Amino acid sequence: TTVYSRILRLRFPKSEVQKPIVYYLTKDYDLTFNILNATIFPRKEGLMVLELSGTRKNFREGVKYLKNQGIHVENASQANAE
């Protein structure tokens, strides 16, 4: 199986900052991650840049899970191009 890997920027609403979201990407979607940068603003949102890897199917399902949690997900290369 080919490994699918992308660097993503995640923006967490303050309601999700304390939840172990990334843990569930590994446990439930068999994805591996490498956190490249992360910032949590006090009483506000969180920002994270991570490399996410796995099968294309699991990757898509993991991103869908993130979006269902209210997390804004974008490809880091798209974010840098703006």
Side-chain angles (χ1 to χ4, degrees):
T1 307
T2 304
V3 173
Y4 186 77
S5 181
R6 289 287 180 272
I7 296 175
L8 302 175
R9 282 187 68 216
L10 308 179
R11 193 168 69 234
F12 294 76
K14 64 181 179 181
S15 61
E16 301 302 311
V17 165
Q18 299 299 323
K19 296 180 182 176
I21 301 289
V22 176
Y23 163 77
Y24 290 112
L25 291 174
T26 298
K27 181 178 178 294
D28 297 341
Y29 301 96
D30 196 28
L31 296 170
T32 58
F33 64 90
N34 180 21
I35 297 173
L36 304 174
N37 193 355
T39 304
I40 297 176
F41 301 101
R43 296 176 298 283
K44 294 185 184 172
E45 67 182 11
L47 297 171
M48 182 184 296
V49 178
L50 59 77
E51 181 177 14
L52 197 59
S53 305
T55 66
R56 188 177 291 264
K57 178 180 183 287
N58 288 358
F59 182 92
R60 278 195 310 263
E61 290 177 0
V63 168
K64 190 164 101 176
Y65 161 76
L66 292 172
K67 290 178 178 178
N68 287 341
Q69 300 304 305
I71 297 167
H72 178 78
V73 180
E74 60 185 6
N75 192 322
S77 62
Q78 293 171 342
N80 293 337
E82 295 177 306

